Amino acid sequence: MRFDEGNFRGEADFLFETSPGEPPGPQALIARQAAGWSLPVHFHLQHQFQVVLRGSGTLGSHILQPGSVHYTSPQSGYGPTRAGEEGLDYFTLRVLTEKGAWYLPEARTAMTLGIFKEQKWASLNPAAPARGWQTLLELREDGLAAWACTSQAGESVACPEKDSGGGRFYVVIRGKFSEGTTDLPEESCLYWAPPEAAPHLVTMASNSLLVVVQFPRQARLNEVPAELQVAPSPRGKKVN
């Protein structure tokens, strides 16, 4: 789906989400932001991770590159997100589906006074070993964390850290993996949450890169009234 409007210019590929009227479940999409375009400051009502797939840009004062991760808690305003000359593609991941965005300052009156807000940023460490796991966000007591793994064809990949109960996304930035009979090529992702058995992936291509983001345990409990699950801001004009 391609959009060309005042707040967002580019495309959005919806990988999976729950439909209106259904109990909210996991949501994953890839935003493909047009070169040079700036997405204004806004917030969401759900916990969210964004993981950069390709391209370059900035989020506020933070430089974005493939493998960069950004976590934001509910109602924490972030941005602007500016795409570089080659554009900026990034995953947007939530354990509970939410539609649209609450743009600031217009939606400031919708914010809950006194609510705790936070954001976390991390990027791949260029000095890290060429193979194996690296920590992007240290595992916190509430379960929030993020890791990356570079692996070679035939290697088995299983996240070594304890889960939070809040849900995880396994995001393929480069290369290809498989999980059972499911192929996970570049630009795909897998959602997992207990009590299901944690996934064990097999690397199918050399120099593959996987990013795993783990939500705090309270993320799956963050109920939002049905009337607020779709932000009142325009989603943009569909042009193809």
Side-chain angles (χ1 to χ4, degrees):
M1 187 177 293
R2 183 180 173 191
F3 296 97
D4 190 346
E5 53 133 308
N7 288 319
F8 183 81
R9 180 173 292 172
E11 300 178 3
D13 293 337
F14 293 85
L15 305 182
F16 51 85
E17 62 181 15
T18 48
S19 301
E22 297 181 356
Q27 178 184 41
L29 63 94
I30 299 176
R32 306 182 191 276
Q33 196 167 318
W37 195 252
S38 180
L39 179 64
V41 177
H42 63 282
F43 67 90
H44 298 278
L45 302 184
Q46 293 294 350
H47 297 259
Q48 175 184 279
F49 265 105
Q50 292 181 303
V51 182
V52 177
L53 174 63
R54 65 172 61 87
S56 63
T58 57
L59 198 166
S61 61
H62 297 267
I63 296 174
L64 300 177
Q65 58 192 11
S68 294
V69 301
H70 171 239
Y71 164 78
T72 181
S73 65
Q75 300 190 38
S76 180
Y78 66 93
T81 306
R82 296 185 175 90
E85 294 181 356
E86 54 196 317
L88 181 66
D89 295 356
Y90 50 93
F91 289 85
T92 297
L93 310 166
R94 306 181 186 109
V95 297
L96 297 176
T97 294
E98 176 182 339
K99 296 284 193 177
W102 301 73
Y103 289 99
L104 293 170
E106 298 90 335
R108 189 174 302 279
T109 55
M111 286 182 160
T112 303
L113 294 178
I115 189 173
F116 174 75
K117 302 173 187 176
E118 69 169 336
Q119 298 180 43
K120 296 291 183 181
W121 294 264
S123 293
L124 298 175
N125 180 0
R131 294 173 65 178
W133 289 90
Q134 63 171 287
T135 298
L136 301 178
L137 294 175
E138 291 283 351
L139 179 62
R140 277 192 341 198
E141 185 177 349
D142 67 355
L144 179 72
W147 308 274
C149 182
T150 303
S151 56
Q152 303 303 317
E155 293 182 346
S156 179
V157 176
C159 186
E161 300 289 349
K162 182 180 178 181
D163 74 85
S164 66
R168 283 180 185 166
F169 285 86
Y170 293 70
V171 179
V172 182
I173 303 298
R174 183 178 65 237
K176 184 179 181 180
F177 297 83
S178 67
E179 203 278 323
T181 59
T182 302
D183 286 337
L184 296 169
E186 186 175 305
E187 299 194 8
S188 65
C189 71
L190 173 71
Y191 174 75
W192 168 79
E196 299 296 327
H200 284 66
L201 281 61
V202 176
T203 311
M204 305 298 290
S206 297
N207 201 34
S208 293
L209 176 61
L210 181 76
V211 170
V212 180
V213 295
Q214 180 166 283
F215 284 77
R217 63 181 59 91
Q218 65 266 28
R220 293 174 69 193
L221 306 175
N222 186 48
E223 295 186 8
V224 170
E227 64 272 17
L228 298 179
Q229 292 173 10
V230 178
S233 56
R235 292 192 57 182
K237 179 177 65 176
K238 182 179 178 183
V239 295
N240 78 345

